[in-house]
Amino acid sequence: MKITADSVAEMMKSAPPNRQKFYWDDDLAGFGFYRLPSGVGTWIVEFRPVSGGSKKRLKLGRVGTLKASEAREAARKTIAHAGLGKDLAKDRADERASGTVRDLVEEYIAGKEMKPSTRDFYNVTLKKHIVPHLGSQKAVAVSRVDVQRAHMKMSRTARYSANRAMALLSAAYVWGAKRGLVPEGMNPAASIDRNKEEARERYLTPDEMTRLGDALREAETVGIPHKASDSKHAPKEKNRTIYGPHVTGAIRLLMLTGCRLREILNLRWDEYDEKRGLLLLPDSKTGRKTVVLSEAAQAEIDGLPRVGKYVIAGRSAGLPDEQPRTDLKKPWAAIAGRAGLDDVHLHDLRHTFASVGAGGGMSLLTIGKLLGHADAATTQRYAHLHVDPTRAAANTIAGQIAAAIGGK
């Protein structure tokens, strides 16, 4: 039959066939449609991928959803591609068989060499941000528009985490392309507009440090007045929550060393060189790291009860399957709140350590070494606090010039 909009409409109005029935176009060989006993019609095209190869059939879409002219054009392109050696039927089958975005990212996380802490962070990012928006989509079918829309939705509740999710997704596509999991060069997460990020600058003032010190002593002696949301695992006496020396000691060590939270919570006793006053960390964020301890920091460590293999004992301390303490969120919230520091995060204690050094005239190079920065540029965030040595130099230079020119 001559397939036109009118002829197909007329055919679709007729009684449905008793079994699947095919109709082929007189002009374009291989183009047609079929009807089922249910009355549904589907556009199809038949072609041979290569000369002498077996014939293949590709569904183009439903009759009624796809116009006759549109179906004809799609069939013409399919046949033309086949003549050039491109098998659209195989491409579509490969797409159906390919893994999802979740599969791709999971394989990347499992197959890429990375630190355990990084792997844990990636798994959380995948579960909380990527899977809800893109996880079930085929990795090879995701477009840049899909990813940009997903990023916008993520950003409504977690602007910075949305950026981390895009970085993870982009890395997974680059990794997957090298291993044939997605087409070479395919990366729909590349060049996505990210949310603007501003470095947080919160340092404790001398008065705030004093208040925090008072709250720490109160926490480990008489206890912090507790609320219903406080840790149920800490003993309560006279409506107060007492926090043990490992909790308060961890907070003090964060301030006295400038270490990262996980560096303190994962610290083992065998990584503490008591004689030389060093922490020999085998695997920090920037790799192996040696922390030079002050007398105050070493005294804090020496004063902690030795329970288990970790300096900061967790709930499983001393048990065969001992694990480090996971976090300090609840104790810190109570202690910081008691000190009137509700806007202070634990990581701000590391910034405070650096800010005291910069404000005291210590070189940025030395501060970077104490903090374990792999890149000197990272320490530059404290440059604006490093004013006393610069002012002294300015006074020396300007003083000589003023004397020469007769300045006041």
Side-chain angles (χ1 to χ4, degrees):
M1 62 179 291
K2 174 68 174 178
I3 293 181
T4 64
D6 292 338
S7 65
V8 173
E10 190 68 26
M11 183 63 67
M12 294 299 292
K13 291 179 182 178
S14 64
N18 294 326
R19 57 193 177 96
Q20 186 179 31
K21 188 173 181 179
F22 291 84
Y23 306 87
W24 300 102
D25 186 50
D26 291 336
D27 292 338
L28 182 60
F31 172 51
F33 68 98
Y34 65 80
R35 289 188 78 196
L36 297 174
S38 62
V40 175
T42 302
W43 297 110
I44 57 173
V45 59
E46 286 188 347
F47 61 95
R48 295 185 188 277
V50 292
S51 179
S54 60
K55 185 178 291 187
K56 292 191 176 183
R57 179 182 297 162
L58 182 66
K59 295 179 182 179
L60 301 174
R62 290 282 184 87
V63 174
T65 301
L66 200 64
K67 296 179 181 178
S69 58
E70 295 171 336
R72 181 183 294 277
E73 183 60 25
R76 193 186 306 279
K77 288 182 179 179
T78 301
I79 295 171
H81 278 101
L84 297 174
K86 185 172 179 61
D87 187 346
L88 297 186
K90 182 180 182 299
D91 290 348
R92 188 173 294 181
D94 289 344
E95 181 178 316
R96 288 196 298 269
S98 67
T100 63
V101 170
R102 179 175 187 167
D103 296 332
L104 175 64
V105 180
E106 283 182 344
E107 287 194 48
Y108 167 71
I109 295 173
K112 178 77 172 179
E113 185 177 347
M114 62 183 70
K115 297 179 184 298
S117 58
T118 303
R119 183 170 283 108
D120 292 341
F121 173 73
Y122 282 171
N123 279 320
V124 171
T125 301
L126 171 63
K127 180 180 179 180
K128 291 184 63 177
H129 303 291
I130 297 177
V131 168
H133 301 288
L134 296 167
S136 61
Q137 295 188 40
K138 295 294 184 181
V140 298
V142 174
S143 68
R144 184 165 296 178
V145 173
D146 295 329
V147 177
Q148 188 70 68
R149 287 174 179 169
H151 180 257
M152 292 174 62
K153 292 179 181 178
M154 297 176 198
S155 302
R156 293 171 186 169
T157 55
R159 291 177 56 81
Y160 290 2
S161 294
N163 288 352
R164 304 292 93 75
M166 292 301 100
L168 172 57
L169 190 60
S170 180
Y173 267 96
V174 172
W175 181 87
K178 293 179 180 179
R179 288 156 181 79
L181 301 178
V182 294
E184 186 175 352
M186 180 184 185
N187 188 355
S191 303
I192 294 298
D193 295 332
R194 309 286 178 90
N195 297 316
K196 184 179 180 180
E197 298 189 24
E198 297 180 359
R200 177 181 170 86
E201 293 189 359
R202 178 65 167 91
Y203 317 112
L204 270 64
T205 64
D207 175 66
E208 289 175 329
M209 285 188 271
T210 299
R211 282 157 35 201
L212 177 57
D214 293 340
L216 286 169
R217 285 187 289 274
E218 184 179 17
E220 61 193 1
T221 53
V222 298
I224 301 294
H226 71 80
K227 301 176 183 179
S229 60
D230 277 352
S231 174
K232 62 181 179 181
H233 303 295
K236 296 180 175 62
E237 297 182 8
K238 298 181 180 179
N239 296 323
R240 288 176 176 264
T241 301
I242 297 177
Y243 294 98
H246 291 102
V247 169
T248 55
I251 295 173
R252 288 193 179 98
L253 284 174
L254 290 172
M255 292 209 50
L256 294 172
T257 65
C259 285
R260 300 177 179 88
L261 177 62
R262 292 256 54 95
E263 292 172 348
I264 294 299
L265 296 186
N266 291 352
L267 179 64
R268 297 170 179 259
W269 283 109
D270 59 12
E271 296 166 357
Y272 170 44
D273 187 334
E274 185 177 358
K275 292 183 180 179
R276 294 188 292 169
L278 302 173
L279 299 182
L280 305 174
L281 307 182
D283 188 26
S284 71
K285 182 179 180 181
T286 53
R288 294 180 64 86
K289 175 181 176 182
T290 298
V291 178
V292 179
L293 295 172
S294 63
E295 294 179 359
Q298 192 164 0
E300 187 66 35
I301 294 177
D302 292 339
L304 292 175
R306 297 202 176 204
V307 185
K309 59 186 178 183
Y310 293 100
V311 174
I312 305 301
R315 294 180 61 191
S316 60
L319 299 178
D321 59 344
E322 180 179 357
Q323 298 295 321
R325 188 183 182 97
T326 55
D327 61 58
L328 292 172
K329 291 181 180 179
K330 289 185 177 180
W332 172 249
I335 294 170
R338 183 64 170 170
L341 304 173
D342 297 284
D343 66 324
V344 177
H345 301 166
L346 278 169
H347 198 70
D348 294 333
L349 304 184
R350 175 173 165 86
H351 297 326
T352 298
F353 178 87
S355 70
V356 171
M362 192 175 297
S363 73
L364 294 180
L365 177 61
T366 300
I367 294 172
K369 289 182 177 179
L370 289 172
L371 294 177
H373 286 164
D375 187 352
T378 307
T379 319
Q380 286 298 316
R381 66 182 300 176
Y382 305 108
H384 66 288
L385 302 172
H386 194 246
V387 294
D388 289 346
T390 306
R391 183 174 289 112
N395 287 336
T396 299
I397 296 171
Q400 294 182 30
I401 295 175
I405 64 176
K408 297 180 181 180

